[in-house]
Amino acid sequence: MTTYTLALIPGDGIGVDVTDAAMQVLDAAAARFGLSLDKTRFDWSCETYLATGRMMPEDGIDQLRSFDAIFLGAVGWPATVPDSVSLHGLLLPIRKAFDQYANIRPHRLLPGVEGPLRAQGFDILCIRENTEGEYSGAGGRVHQGRDNEVAVETSIFTRKGVERILRFGFEQARARRKHLTSVTKSNAQKYSMVFWDEVTRELAAEYPDVTVSPMHIDAMAAKMVMTPQDLDVVVASNLFGDILTDLGAAIQGGLGFAASANINPDRRVPSMFEPVHGSAPDIAGKNIANPIAAIWSGAQMLEHLGETEAAAAVLAAIESATARGIGIRPGLHGTQEITAAVIAALEENA
Protein backbone atom coordinates (compact mmCIF):
# COMPACT_ATOMS: atom_id res chain seq x y z
CA MET A 1 0.00 0.00 0.00
CA THR A 2 1.37 3.41 -1.03
CA THR A 3 1.18 6.06 1.69
CA TYR A 4 1.10 9.79 0.97
CA THR A 5 1.61 12.42 3.64
CA LEU A 6 -0.76 15.37 3.41
CA ALA A 7 -0.59 18.68 5.24
CA LEU A 8 -4.12 19.99 5.74
CA ILE A 9 -4.61 23.72 6.30
CA PRO A 10 -8.39 24.22 6.49
CA GLY A 11 -7.88 27.94 7.17
CA ASP A 12 -10.85 30.21 7.67
CA GLY A 13 -14.62 30.12 7.23
CA ILE A 14 -15.93 27.52 4.81
CA GLY A 15 -12.37 26.36 4.26
CA VAL A 16 -12.96 24.07 7.23
CA ASP A 17 -16.23 22.76 5.76
CA VAL A 18 -14.94 22.01 2.27
CA THR A 19 -11.63 20.56 3.45
CA ASP A 20 -13.51 18.06 5.59
CA ALA A 21 -15.77 17.20 2.64
CA ALA A 22 -12.88 16.75 0.23
CA MET A 23 -11.03 14.48 2.65
CA GLN A 24 -14.12 12.28 3.04
CA VAL A 25 -14.14 11.76 -0.71
CA LEU A 26 -10.37 11.26 -0.96
CA ASP A 27 -10.46 8.72 1.87
CA ALA A 28 -13.13 6.79 -0.04
CA ALA A 29 -11.00 6.92 -3.18
CA ALA A 30 -7.94 5.81 -1.23
CA ALA A 31 -9.82 2.80 0.15
CA ARG A 32 -10.98 1.84 -3.33
CA PHE A 33 -7.54 2.10 -4.92
CA GLY A 34 -5.43 0.72 -2.09
CA LEU A 35 -3.82 3.98 -1.00
CA SER A 36 -3.19 5.48 2.40
CA LEU A 37 -3.49 9.20 3.12
CA ASP A 38 -1.57 10.16 6.25
CA LYS A 39 -2.99 13.58 7.15
CA THR A 40 -1.60 16.18 9.55
CA ARG A 41 -3.80 19.19 10.29
CA PHE A 42 -2.38 22.68 10.78
CA ASP A 43 -4.89 25.15 12.24
CA TRP A 44 -3.28 28.25 10.76
CA SER A 45 -5.80 30.99 10.08
CA CYS A 46 -6.86 34.53 10.88
CA GLU A 47 -7.57 33.31 14.41
CA THR A 48 -3.90 32.34 14.59
CA TYR A 49 -2.97 35.86 13.51
CA LEU A 50 -5.18 37.47 16.15
CA ALA A 51 -3.67 35.25 18.83
CA THR A 52 -0.01 35.37 17.78
CA GLY A 53 0.47 38.21 15.28
CA ARG A 54 1.35 35.70 12.53
CA MET A 55 -0.77 33.71 10.09
CA MET A 56 1.53 30.73 10.61
CA PRO A 57 4.49 30.05 12.91
CA GLU A 58 7.90 31.41 12.04
CA ASP A 59 9.02 27.88 11.11
CA GLY A 60 5.79 27.11 9.25
CA ILE A 61 7.47 26.56 5.88
CA ASP A 62 9.94 24.12 7.44
CA GLN A 63 7.06 22.23 9.04
CA LEU A 64 5.44 21.76 5.61
CA ARG A 65 8.55 20.89 3.66
CA SER A 66 8.56 17.13 4.20
CA PHE A 67 4.96 16.49 3.10
CA ASP A 68 4.01 14.99 -0.25
CA ALA A 69 1.32 17.61 -0.78
CA ILE A 70 -0.51 20.48 0.93
CA PHE A 71 -4.28 20.90 0.86
CA LEU A 72 -5.64 24.35 1.70
CA GLY A 73 -9.29 25.22 2.36
CA ALA A 74 -9.53 29.02 2.24
CA VAL A 75 -7.84 32.00 3.84
CA GLY A 76 -9.34 35.26 5.02
CA TRP A 77 -11.66 36.90 7.54
CA PRO A 78 -11.71 40.54 6.46
CA ALA A 79 -13.87 41.70 9.36
CA THR A 80 -10.97 40.97 11.71
CA VAL A 81 -7.81 40.75 9.58
CA PRO A 82 -7.16 42.72 6.35
CA ASP A 83 -6.98 40.48 3.28
CA SER A 84 -3.57 41.93 2.45
CA VAL A 85 -2.29 40.57 5.77
CA SER A 86 -3.86 37.11 5.55
CA LEU A 87 -2.83 36.58 1.92
CA HIS A 88 0.77 37.69 2.40
CA GLY A 89 1.01 35.84 5.69
CA LEU A 90 0.05 32.34 4.53
CA LEU A 91 -0.91 31.59 0.94
CA LEU A 92 1.68 33.63 -0.96
CA PRO A 93 4.63 32.64 1.25
CA ILE A 94 3.84 28.94 0.67
CA ARG A 95 3.59 29.40 -3.09
CA LYS A 96 6.90 31.26 -3.23
CA ALA A 97 8.86 29.19 -0.69
CA PHE A 98 8.10 25.97 -2.56
CA ASP A 99 8.42 27.60 -5.99
CA GLN A 100 4.90 26.55 -6.97
CA TYR A 101 5.15 28.56 -10.14
CA ALA A 102 2.35 26.93 -12.14
CA ASN A 103 -1.19 27.66 -10.99
CA ILE A 104 -3.53 25.34 -12.90
CA ARG A 105 -7.24 26.10 -13.07
CA PRO A 106 -9.65 24.08 -15.27
CA HIS A 107 -12.84 25.68 -16.56
CA ARG A 108 -15.62 23.62 -18.10
CA LEU A 109 -19.25 22.90 -17.38
CA LEU A 110 -19.92 19.78 -15.34
CA PRO A 111 -22.86 17.62 -16.50
CA GLY A 112 -26.14 19.10 -15.35
CA VAL A 113 -24.69 22.53 -14.58
CA GLU A 114 -26.06 25.46 -16.55
CA GLY A 115 -23.67 28.37 -16.95
CA PRO A 116 -24.71 31.95 -17.71
CA LEU A 117 -23.54 31.77 -21.33
CA ARG A 118 -25.15 30.40 -24.45
CA ALA A 119 -21.91 28.53 -25.14
CA GLN A 120 -21.77 25.16 -23.40
CA GLY A 121 -18.98 23.12 -24.98
CA PHE A 122 -15.90 24.90 -23.69
CA ASP A 123 -12.93 23.27 -21.97
CA ILE A 124 -10.30 25.79 -20.90
CA LEU A 125 -7.14 25.13 -18.91
CA CYS A 126 -5.79 28.35 -17.44
CA ILE A 127 -2.10 28.36 -16.51
CA ARG A 128 -1.24 31.30 -14.27
CA GLU A 129 2.30 32.34 -13.38
CA ASN A 130 2.27 31.99 -9.61
CA THR A 131 5.44 33.35 -8.00
CA GLU A 132 6.41 36.72 -9.50
CA GLY A 133 4.90 39.31 -11.85
CA GLU A 134 2.44 41.70 -10.30
CA TYR A 135 2.37 39.83 -6.97
CA SER A 136 6.11 40.02 -6.36
CA GLY A 137 5.63 42.32 -3.38
CA ALA A 138 8.30 44.77 -4.56
CA GLY A 139 7.53 48.37 -3.62
CA GLY A 140 6.63 50.52 -0.68
CA ARG A 141 4.90 53.60 0.70
CA VAL A 142 6.37 56.84 1.96
CA HIS A 143 4.81 59.87 3.70
CA GLN A 144 1.88 57.70 4.79
CA GLY A 145 -1.25 59.58 5.73
CA ARG A 146 -0.02 62.88 4.30
CA ASP A 147 -1.16 64.68 1.17
CA ASN A 148 2.15 63.88 -0.56
CA GLU A 149 1.94 60.15 0.14
CA VAL A 150 3.45 57.93 -2.56
CA ALA A 151 2.78 54.21 -3.12
CA VAL A 152 4.93 52.20 -5.55
CA GLU A 153 4.22 48.61 -6.61
CA THR A 154 6.75 47.11 -9.01
CA SER A 155 5.98 44.05 -11.12
CA ILE A 156 8.95 41.71 -11.52
CA PHE A 157 9.26 39.56 -14.63
CA THR A 158 12.35 37.38 -15.03
CA ARG A 159 13.36 35.47 -18.13
CA LYS A 160 13.48 32.28 -16.07
CA GLY A 161 10.01 32.88 -14.64
CA VAL A 162 8.34 33.81 -17.92
CA GLU A 163 10.04 31.10 -19.94
CA ARG A 164 9.23 28.26 -17.57
CA ILE A 165 5.52 29.12 -17.22
CA LEU A 166 5.16 29.46 -20.98
CA ARG A 167 7.01 26.19 -21.55
CA PHE A 168 4.69 24.52 -19.03
CA GLY A 169 1.74 25.91 -20.97
CA PHE A 170 3.12 24.68 -24.29
CA GLU A 171 3.54 21.18 -22.85
CA GLN A 172 -0.06 21.21 -21.57
CA ALA A 173 -1.31 22.39 -24.97
CA ARG A 174 0.67 19.68 -26.72
CA ALA A 175 -1.07 17.07 -24.54
CA ARG A 176 -4.53 18.57 -25.20
CA ARG A 177 -5.81 20.24 -28.38
CA LYS A 178 -2.53 21.91 -29.38
CA HIS A 179 -3.67 25.52 -29.05
CA LEU A 180 -2.11 28.04 -26.67
CA THR A 181 -3.32 31.58 -26.01
CA SER A 182 -0.74 33.86 -24.39
CA VAL A 183 -2.36 36.81 -22.62
CA THR A 184 -0.60 40.17 -22.20
CA LYS A 185 -1.22 43.90 -22.53
CA SER A 186 1.84 44.72 -24.60
CA ASN A 187 0.24 47.68 -26.39
CA ALA A 188 0.20 49.55 -23.06
CA GLN A 189 2.89 47.86 -20.94
CA LYS A 190 5.81 48.23 -23.30
CA TYR A 191 8.48 46.59 -21.17
CA SER A 192 7.19 43.61 -19.17
CA MET A 193 4.47 42.54 -21.57
CA VAL A 194 6.50 43.11 -24.72
CA PHE A 195 9.16 40.95 -23.05
CA TRP A 196 6.52 38.26 -22.39
CA ASP A 197 5.45 38.36 -26.06
CA GLU A 198 9.06 38.01 -27.21
CA VAL A 199 9.64 34.95 -25.03
CA THR A 200 6.39 33.44 -26.33
CA ARG A 201 7.60 33.80 -29.92
CA GLU A 202 10.99 32.31 -29.07
CA LEU A 203 9.45 29.23 -27.45
CA ALA A 204 6.84 28.82 -30.19
CA ALA A 205 9.66 27.82 -32.53
CA GLU A 206 10.27 24.76 -30.33
CA TYR A 207 6.60 23.73 -30.52
CA PRO A 208 5.68 23.85 -34.22
CA ASP A 209 2.74 21.50 -33.55
CA VAL A 210 1.09 24.04 -31.21
CA THR A 211 -0.89 26.96 -32.61
CA VAL A 212 -0.12 30.15 -30.67
CA SER A 213 -2.54 33.06 -30.33
CA PRO A 214 -1.24 36.20 -28.59
CA MET A 215 -4.10 38.21 -27.09
CA HIS A 216 -4.49 41.32 -25.00
CA ILE A 217 -6.17 40.92 -21.63
CA ASP A 218 -9.18 43.07 -22.49
CA ALA A 219 -9.86 41.16 -25.70
CA MET A 220 -9.36 37.92 -23.82
CA ALA A 221 -12.00 38.84 -21.24
CA ALA A 222 -14.46 39.46 -24.07
CA LYS A 223 -13.53 36.20 -25.80
CA MET A 224 -14.13 34.15 -22.66
CA VAL A 225 -17.69 35.46 -22.67
CA MET A 226 -18.40 35.47 -26.40
CA THR A 227 -16.57 32.39 -27.75
CA PRO A 228 -15.01 30.39 -24.90
CA GLN A 229 -15.28 27.19 -26.95
CA ASP A 230 -12.42 28.45 -29.14
CA LEU A 231 -9.97 28.39 -26.22
CA ASP A 232 -7.77 25.51 -25.11
CA VAL A 233 -4.75 26.37 -22.91
CA VAL A 234 -4.47 29.95 -21.69
CA VAL A 235 -1.24 31.26 -20.13
CA ALA A 236 -1.12 34.56 -18.26
CA SER A 237 0.79 36.53 -15.66
CA ASN A 238 -0.03 36.38 -11.96
CA LEU A 239 -2.52 39.26 -11.98
CA PHE A 240 -4.07 38.62 -15.38
CA GLY A 241 -4.38 34.90 -14.62
CA ASP A 242 -6.02 35.64 -11.28
CA ILE A 243 -8.66 37.86 -12.87
CA LEU A 244 -9.32 35.62 -15.87
CA THR A 245 -9.82 32.54 -13.72
CA ASP A 246 -12.55 34.23 -11.69
CA LEU A 247 -14.23 34.96 -15.00
CA GLY A 248 -13.62 31.32 -15.93
CA ALA A 249 -15.30 30.28 -12.68
CA ALA A 250 -18.28 32.47 -13.50
CA ILE A 251 -18.85 30.93 -16.92
CA GLN A 252 -18.57 27.40 -15.51
CA GLY A 253 -21.37 28.07 -13.06
CA GLY A 254 -19.72 29.80 -10.12
CA LEU A 255 -16.83 29.66 -7.69
CA GLY A 256 -18.24 26.50 -6.15
CA PHE A 257 -16.96 24.60 -9.19
CA ALA A 258 -13.54 26.25 -9.55
CA ALA A 259 -10.59 24.04 -8.60
CA SER A 260 -6.91 24.91 -8.60
CA ALA A 261 -3.46 23.42 -8.18
CA ASN A 262 -0.28 25.27 -7.22
CA ILE A 263 2.37 23.09 -8.81
CA ASN A 264 6.11 22.74 -8.49
CA PRO A 265 6.70 20.54 -11.54
CA ASP A 266 10.09 19.21 -10.42
CA ARG A 267 8.43 17.68 -7.30
CA ARG A 268 11.38 18.33 -4.96
CA VAL A 269 9.02 20.12 -2.58
CA PRO A 270 5.28 19.82 -1.95
CA SER A 271 2.70 21.32 -4.27
CA MET A 272 -0.50 22.82 -2.88
CA PHE A 273 -4.14 22.28 -3.87
CA GLU A 274 -7.07 24.55 -3.03
CA PRO A 275 -10.48 25.65 -4.29
CA VAL A 276 -10.47 29.08 -5.93
CA HIS A 277 -13.25 30.46 -3.73
CA GLY A 278 -12.72 32.47 -0.59
CA SER A 279 -13.64 31.78 3.02
CA ALA A 280 -17.25 33.14 2.91
CA PRO A 281 -17.46 33.75 6.69
CA ASP A 282 -21.20 34.43 6.52
CA ILE A 283 -22.03 30.82 5.63
CA ALA A 284 -19.26 29.04 7.53
CA GLY A 285 -20.35 25.99 9.50
CA LYS A 286 -23.91 26.09 8.16
CA ASN A 287 -23.73 23.09 5.79
CA ILE A 288 -24.26 25.45 2.85
CA ALA A 289 -20.92 25.64 1.01
CA ASN A 290 -20.56 23.70 -2.22
CA PRO A 291 -17.57 21.34 -1.75
CA ILE A 292 -17.19 20.40 -5.42
CA ALA A 293 -14.34 22.85 -6.08
CA ALA A 294 -12.42 21.43 -3.13
CA ILE A 295 -13.13 17.83 -4.16
CA TRP A 296 -12.03 18.60 -7.73
CA SER A 297 -8.84 20.15 -6.30
CA GLY A 298 -8.36 16.87 -4.44
CA ALA A 299 -8.58 15.02 -7.76
CA GLN A 300 -5.87 17.33 -9.10
CA MET A 301 -3.76 16.41 -6.08
CA LEU A 302 -4.16 12.69 -6.71
CA GLU A 303 -3.19 13.18 -10.34
CA HIS A 304 -0.09 15.14 -9.35
CA LEU A 305 0.89 12.36 -6.94
CA GLY A 306 0.74 9.91 -9.84
CA GLU A 307 -2.55 8.27 -8.85
CA THR A 308 -4.22 8.93 -12.18
CA GLU A 309 -6.86 6.19 -11.85
CA ALA A 310 -7.99 7.47 -8.47
CA ALA A 311 -8.01 11.05 -9.76
CA ALA A 312 -10.13 10.09 -12.77
CA ALA A 313 -12.54 8.16 -10.54
CA VAL A 314 -13.05 11.15 -8.22
CA LEU A 315 -13.71 13.46 -11.16
CA ALA A 316 -16.09 10.92 -12.70
CA ALA A 317 -17.93 10.71 -9.36
CA ILE A 318 -18.33 14.49 -9.28
CA GLU A 319 -19.71 14.39 -12.82
CA SER A 320 -22.08 11.56 -11.93
CA ALA A 321 -23.42 13.51 -8.95
CA THR A 322 -23.98 16.73 -10.90
CA ALA A 323 -25.56 14.78 -13.78
CA ARG A 324 -28.17 13.70 -11.24
CA GLY A 325 -28.77 17.32 -10.31
CA ILE A 326 -26.80 17.26 -7.04
CA GLY A 327 -24.96 20.48 -6.23
CA ILE A 328 -25.65 22.18 -9.53
CA ARG A 329 -27.03 25.43 -8.08
CA PRO A 330 -26.21 27.39 -4.91
CA GLY A 331 -28.47 26.45 -2.02
CA LEU A 332 -30.02 23.45 -3.77
CA HIS A 333 -28.16 20.90 -1.63
CA GLY A 334 -26.09 21.08 1.54
CA THR A 335 -22.38 20.40 1.88
CA GLN A 336 -22.83 16.94 3.36
CA GLU A 337 -25.54 15.93 0.87
CA ILE A 338 -23.24 16.79 -2.04
CA THR A 339 -20.32 15.00 -0.39
CA ALA A 340 -22.42 11.88 0.21
CA ALA A 341 -23.61 11.89 -3.40
CA VAL A 342 -20.04 12.05 -4.72
CA ILE A 343 -18.94 9.22 -2.41
CA ALA A 344 -21.93 7.12 -3.44
CA ALA A 345 -21.10 7.65 -7.11
CA LEU A 346 -17.48 6.75 -6.45
CA GLU A 347 -18.53 3.49 -4.82
CA GLU A 348 -21.18 2.69 -7.46
CA ASN A 349 -18.62 2.94 -10.24
CA ALA A 350 -16.05 0.73 -8.49
Side-chain angles (χ1 to χ4, degrees), residues 143-161:
H143 309 306
Q144 291 190 42
R146 297 164 61 180
D147 59 4
N148 61 337
E149 182 171 357
V150 177
V152 176
E153 191 90 30
T154 303
S155 300
I156 305 295
F157 290 87
T158 66
R159 177 167 288 275
K160 176 183 177 181

Side-chain angles (χ1 to χ4, degrees), residues 190-210:
K190 64 179 183 178
Y191 300 116
S192 60
M193 295 287 97
V194 169
F195 169 56
W196 183 293
D197 284 348
E198 289 173 356
V199 176
T200 303
R201 287 193 295 270
E202 291 170 11
L203 287 180
E206 300 180 29
Y207 296 87
D209 54 324
V210 176

Side-chain angles (χ1 to χ4, degrees), residues 241-255:
D242 195 2
I243 295 169
L244 286 177
T245 51
D246 265 29
L247 178 54
I251 67 173
Q252 73 180 119
L255 286 167

Side-chain angles (χ1 to χ4, degrees), residues 1-8 26 35-40 42 61-72 94 98 100 261-273 297-298 300-307:
M1 178 178 289
T2 303
T3 298
Y4 297 102
T5 57
L6 307 182
L8 304 185
L26 293 188
L35 312 174
S36 176
L37 303 178
D38 183 7
K39 300 181 285 291
T40 301
F42 296 88
I61 295 299
D62 288 336
Q63 290 188 47
L64 298 174
R65 191 175 300 278
S66 64
F67 287 89
D68 292 317
I70 303 164
F71 193 91
L72 177 71
I94 294 173
F98 296 131
Q100 297 166 350
N262 303 277
I263 297 295
N264 180 309
D266 68 16
R267 301 170 187 267
R268 292 180 296 104
V269 289
S271 294
M272 180 168 60
F273 304 83
S297 301
Q300 289 183 293
M301 182 173 69
L302 290 174
E303 182 175 12
H304 179 72
L305 292 172
E307 300 296 340

Side-chain angles (χ1 to χ4, degrees), residues 45-47 49-50 55 76-87:
S45 64
C46 288
E47 286 189 9
Y49 179 84
L50 293 174
M55 289 294 295
W77 203 287
T80 58
V81 178
D83 284 341
S84 58
V85 171
S86 57
L87 185 69

Side-chain angles (χ1 to χ4, degrees), residues 10-18 45 47 74-77 278-285 289:
D12 297 297
I14 63 169
V16 177
D17 306 345
V18 299
S45 64
E47 286 189 9
V75 177
W77 203 287
S279 60
D282 57 321
I283 62 169

